[in-house]
Amino acid sequence: MTPAQRTALEARLRALLQDLAAKQARAIEPSRSDDLDTKVDEDQQPLTEMGQAIASNLNRADAALAARARRALSRLRDDPDDFGNCLDCGDEVPFARLKALPYAEYCIDCQGKRDGRGRATRSKLTDFS
């Protein structure tokens, strides 16, 4: 990877962290307005709980993405010559992948193995099972 490519990736990572820092955490609305409120709308309750779950998952995903970006910046700063190499096999992660995901730690094959996808199991294009 060239120094110019490293600089471009560093700028993308910093911009990503700035965007995530500028975002406010999604509010998780309470089911009730106070401890004495015992008349909860039974029709509204499932929607409120679903909204709480969605907001919580989105907040957690943003935090995980920020952590991955910080780790990538740390790797870039601590060992710039090794940045962009897969943490499992050591092969160079294609720059196109890093351009799309500047925090990528693994090559496509190793990421597939970690995700449990591996290779496709279909023997033919029409085999959907």
Side-chain angles (χ1 to χ4, degrees), residues 86-97:
C86 177
L87 296 181
D88 275 352
C89 68
D91 288 347
E92 188 172 337
V93 176
F95 184 69
R97 177 170 169 77

Side-chain angles (χ1 to χ4, degrees), residues 1 9 12 68 84 86 92-112 114-115 117:
M1 180 179 310
L9 291 175
R12 296 227 28 230
R68 289 182 75 184
C86 177
E92 188 172 337
V93 176
F95 184 69
R97 177 170 169 77
L98 289 172
K99 237 170 101 173
L101 304 168
Y103 45 83
E105 298 172 320
Y106 305 101
C107 67
I108 294 169
D109 288 336
C110 291
Q111 185 68 55
R114 294 181 71 79
D115 291 344
R117 288 191 301 254

Side-chain angles (χ1 to χ4, degrees), residues 2-17:
T2 68
Q5 289 173 324
R6 281 192 209 101
T7 302
L9 291 175
E10 181 180 5
R12 296 227 28 230
L13 287 165
R14 291 190 186 284
L16 175 62
L17 283 173

Side-chain angles (χ1 to χ4, degrees), residues 1 7 13 15 17-18 25 30 32 35 38 40 49 52 60 62-63 66 86 89 92 97 102 104 118 122 125:
M1 180 179 310
T7 302
L13 287 165
L17 283 173
Q18 282 182 332
R32 300 187 327 188
D35 291 337
T38 58
V40 177
E49 290 174 3
Q52 291 170 343
R60 194 175 15 256
D62 284 349
C86 177
C89 68
E92 188 172 337
R97 177 170 169 77
R122 295 190 294 169
L125 288 176

